[in-house]
PDB file of all heavy atoms in Angstrom:
ATOM      1  N   LEU A  96      19.462   1.744  -3.821  1.00  0.00           N
ATOM      2  CA  LEU A  96      19.140   0.558  -4.614  1.00  0.00           C
ATOM      3  C   LEU A  96      18.469   1.022  -5.894  1.00  0.00           C
ATOM      4  O   LEU A  96      17.476   1.758  -5.842  1.00  0.00           O
ATOM      5  CB  LEU A  96      18.198  -0.384  -3.853  1.00  0.00           C
ATOM      6  CG  LEU A  96      18.625  -0.895  -2.482  1.00  0.00           C
ATOM      7  CD1 LEU A  96      17.556  -1.825  -1.928  1.00  0.00           C
ATOM      8  CD2 LEU A  96      19.953  -1.602  -2.556  1.00  0.00           C
ATOM      9  N   GLU A  97      18.984   0.613  -7.022  1.00  0.00           N
ATOM     10  CA  GLU A  97      18.365   0.920  -8.299  1.00  0.00           C
ATOM     11  C   GLU A  97      17.643  -0.323  -8.804  1.00  0.00           C
ATOM     12  O   GLU A  97      18.265  -1.339  -9.109  1.00  0.00           O
ATOM     13  CB  GLU A  97      19.421   1.353  -9.320  1.00  0.00           C
ATOM     14  CG  GLU A  97      18.822   1.666 -10.689  1.00  0.00           C
ATOM     15  CD  GLU A  97      19.877   1.760 -11.784  1.00  0.00           C
ATOM     16  OE1 GLU A  97      21.079   1.543 -11.494  1.00  0.00           O
ATOM     17  OE2 GLU A  97      19.495   2.033 -12.935  1.00  0.00           O
ATOM     18  N   LEU A  98      16.319  -0.248  -8.853  1.00  0.00           N
ATOM     19  CA  LEU A  98      15.552  -1.373  -9.374  1.00  0.00           C
ATOM     20  C   LEU A  98      15.667  -1.418 -10.897  1.00  0.00           C
ATOM     21  O   LEU A  98      15.897  -0.402 -11.553  1.00  0.00           O
ATOM     22  CB  LEU A  98      14.090  -1.267  -8.959  1.00  0.00           C
ATOM     23  CG  LEU A  98      13.812  -1.222  -7.447  1.00  0.00           C
ATOM     24  CD1 LEU A  98      12.310  -1.340  -7.183  1.00  0.00           C
ATOM     25  CD2 LEU A  98      14.570  -2.301  -6.691  1.00  0.00           C
ATOM     26  N   SER A  99      15.506  -2.604 -11.462  1.00  0.00           N
ATOM     27  CA  SER A  99      15.718  -2.778 -12.902  1.00  0.00           C
ATOM     28  C   SER A  99      14.648  -2.103 -13.746  1.00  0.00           C
ATOM     29  O   SER A  99      14.847  -1.842 -14.926  1.00  0.00           O
ATOM     30  CB  SER A  99      15.776  -4.277 -13.233  1.00  0.00           C
ATOM     31  OG  SER A  99      14.541  -4.905 -12.921  1.00  0.00           O
ATOM     32  N   ARG A 100      13.486  -1.798 -13.153  1.00  0.00           N
ATOM     33  CA  ARG A 100      12.398  -1.084 -13.817  1.00  0.00           C
ATOM     34  C   ARG A 100      11.461  -0.575 -12.738  1.00  0.00           C
ATOM     35  O   ARG A 100      11.721  -0.739 -11.545  1.00  0.00           O
ATOM     36  CB  ARG A 100      11.635  -2.001 -14.790  1.00  0.00           C
ATOM     37  CG  ARG A 100      10.938  -3.187 -14.132  1.00  0.00           C
ATOM     38  CD  ARG A 100      10.033  -3.901 -15.112  1.00  0.00           C
ATOM     39  NE  ARG A 100       9.398  -5.080 -14.554  1.00  0.00           N
ATOM     40  CZ  ARG A 100       8.282  -5.079 -13.829  1.00  0.00           C
ATOM     41  NH1 ARG A 100       7.679  -3.920 -13.548  1.00  0.00           N
ATOM     42  NH2 ARG A 100       7.764  -6.194 -13.359  1.00  0.00           N
ATOM     43  N   ASN A 101      10.376   0.023 -13.165  1.00  0.00           N
ATOM     44  CA  ASN A 101       9.367   0.485 -12.213  1.00  0.00           C
ATOM     45  C   ASN A 101       8.488  -0.687 -11.783  1.00  0.00           C
ATOM     46  O   ASN A 101       7.704  -1.213 -12.566  1.00  0.00           O
ATOM     47  CB  ASN A 101       8.513   1.592 -12.840  1.00  0.00           C
ATOM     48  CG  ASN A 101       7.395   2.050 -11.922  1.00  0.00           C
ATOM     49  OD1 ASN A 101       6.221   1.886 -12.237  1.00  0.00           O
ATOM     50  ND2 ASN A 101       7.744   2.611 -10.792  1.00  0.00           N
ATOM     51  N   PHE A 102       8.642  -1.104 -10.527  1.00  0.00           N
ATOM     52  CA  PHE A 102       7.856  -2.213  -9.987  1.00  0.00           C
ATOM     53  C   PHE A 102       6.662  -1.730  -9.163  1.00  0.00           C
ATOM     54  O   PHE A 102       5.838  -2.532  -8.754  1.00  0.00           O
ATOM     55  CB  PHE A 102       8.730  -3.111  -9.106  1.00  0.00           C
ATOM     56  CG  PHE A 102       9.665  -3.999  -9.879  1.00  0.00           C
ATOM     57  CD1 PHE A 102      10.924  -3.555 -10.228  1.00  0.00           C
ATOM     58  CD2 PHE A 102       9.287  -5.275 -10.257  1.00  0.00           C
ATOM     59  CE1 PHE A 102      11.800  -4.370 -10.944  1.00  0.00           C
ATOM     60  CE2 PHE A 102      10.145  -6.098 -10.966  1.00  0.00           C
ATOM     61  CZ  PHE A 102      11.405  -5.645 -11.318  1.00  0.00           C
ATOM     62  N   GLY A 103       6.579  -0.440  -8.877  1.00  0.00           N
ATOM     63  CA  GLY A 103       5.510   0.087  -8.042  1.00  0.00           C
ATOM     64  C   GLY A 103       5.969   0.312  -6.616  1.00  0.00           C
ATOM     65  O   GLY A 103       6.963  -0.254  -6.152  1.00  0.00           O
ATOM     66  N   LYS A 104       5.233   1.165  -5.918  1.00  0.00           N
ATOM     67  CA  LYS A 104       5.662   1.569  -4.582  1.00  0.00           C
ATOM     68  C   LYS A 104       5.722   0.412  -3.604  1.00  0.00           C
ATOM     69  O   LYS A 104       6.626   0.340  -2.764  1.00  0.00           O
ATOM     70  CB  LYS A 104       4.722   2.656  -4.045  1.00  0.00           C
ATOM     71  CG  LYS A 104       5.189   3.198  -2.699  1.00  0.00           C
ATOM     72  CD  LYS A 104       4.277   4.255  -2.148  1.00  0.00           C
ATOM     73  CE  LYS A 104       4.779   4.731  -0.802  1.00  0.00           C
ATOM     74  NZ  LYS A 104       3.885   5.749  -0.196  1.00  0.00           N
ATOM     75  N   GLU A 105       4.765  -0.517  -3.664  1.00  0.00           N
ATOM     76  CA  GLU A 105       4.752  -1.616  -2.691  1.00  0.00           C
ATOM     77  C   GLU A 105       6.008  -2.476  -2.836  1.00  0.00           C
ATOM     78  O   GLU A 105       6.622  -2.878  -1.840  1.00  0.00           O
ATOM     79  CB  GLU A 105       3.501  -2.478  -2.889  1.00  0.00           C
ATOM     80  CG  GLU A 105       2.201  -1.703  -2.909  1.00  0.00           C
ATOM     81  CD  GLU A 105       1.909  -1.011  -1.592  1.00  0.00           C
ATOM     82  OE1 GLU A 105       1.448  -1.679  -0.657  1.00  0.00           O
ATOM     83  OE2 GLU A 105       2.133   0.210  -1.506  1.00  0.00           O
ATOM     84  N   ALA A 106       6.417  -2.750  -4.077  1.00  0.00           N
ATOM     85  CA  ALA A 106       7.626  -3.538  -4.312  1.00  0.00           C
ATOM     86  C   ALA A 106       8.869  -2.758  -3.905  1.00  0.00           C
ATOM     87  O   ALA A 106       9.806  -3.314  -3.312  1.00  0.00           O
ATOM     88  CB  ALA A 106       7.711  -3.944  -5.775  1.00  0.00           C
ATOM     89  N   ALA A 107       8.906  -1.456  -4.217  1.00  0.00           N
ATOM     90  CA  ALA A 107      10.056  -0.634  -3.846  1.00  0.00           C
ATOM     91  C   ALA A 107      10.195  -0.555  -2.333  1.00  0.00           C
ATOM     92  O   ALA A 107      11.308  -0.610  -1.786  1.00  0.00           O
ATOM     93  CB  ALA A 107       9.917   0.763  -4.446  1.00  0.00           C
ATOM     94  N   LEU A 108       9.080  -0.439  -1.655  1.00  0.00           N
ATOM     95  CA  LEU A 108       9.098  -0.404  -0.196  1.00  0.00           C
ATOM     96  C   LEU A 108       9.605  -1.729   0.366  1.00  0.00           C
ATOM     97  O   LEU A 108      10.400  -1.768   1.318  1.00  0.00           O
ATOM     98  CB  LEU A 108       7.690  -0.114   0.310  1.00  0.00           C
ATOM     99  CG  LEU A 108       7.525   0.394   1.734  1.00  0.00           C
ATOM    100  CD1 LEU A 108       8.331   1.659   1.971  1.00  0.00           C
ATOM    101  CD2 LEU A 108       6.045   0.635   2.023  1.00  0.00           C
ATOM    102  N   THR A 109       9.186  -2.814  -0.231  1.00  0.00           N
ATOM    103  CA  THR A 109       9.667  -4.133   0.181  1.00  0.00           C
ATOM    104  C   THR A 109      11.172  -4.258  -0.021  1.00  0.00           C
ATOM    105  O   THR A 109      11.891  -4.783   0.843  1.00  0.00           O
ATOM    106  CB  THR A 109       8.944  -5.234  -0.618  1.00  0.00           C
ATOM    107  OG1 THR A 109       7.533  -5.128  -0.397  1.00  0.00           O
ATOM    108  CG2 THR A 109       9.408  -6.617  -0.194  1.00  0.00           C
ATOM    109  N   ALA A 110      11.667  -3.775  -1.151  1.00  0.00           N
ATOM    110  CA  ALA A 110      13.106  -3.833  -1.431  1.00  0.00           C
ATOM    111  C   ALA A 110      13.894  -3.060  -0.383  1.00  0.00           C
ATOM    112  O   ALA A 110      14.935  -3.519   0.112  1.00  0.00           O
ATOM    113  CB  ALA A 110      13.389  -3.272  -2.825  1.00  0.00           C
ATOM    114  N   GLY A 111      13.423  -1.872  -0.028  1.00  0.00           N
ATOM    115  CA  GLY A 111      14.116  -1.076   0.973  1.00  0.00           C
ATOM    116  C   GLY A 111      14.102  -1.707   2.345  1.00  0.00           C
ATOM    117  O   GLY A 111      15.109  -1.698   3.066  1.00  0.00           O
TER     118      GLY A 111
END
Side-chain angles (χ1 to χ4, degrees):
L96 304 181
E97 179 194 2
L98 301 189
S99 63
R100 63 171 177 84
N101 177 244
F102 285 89
K104 185 180 179 182
E105 308 296 281
L108 199 56
T109 301

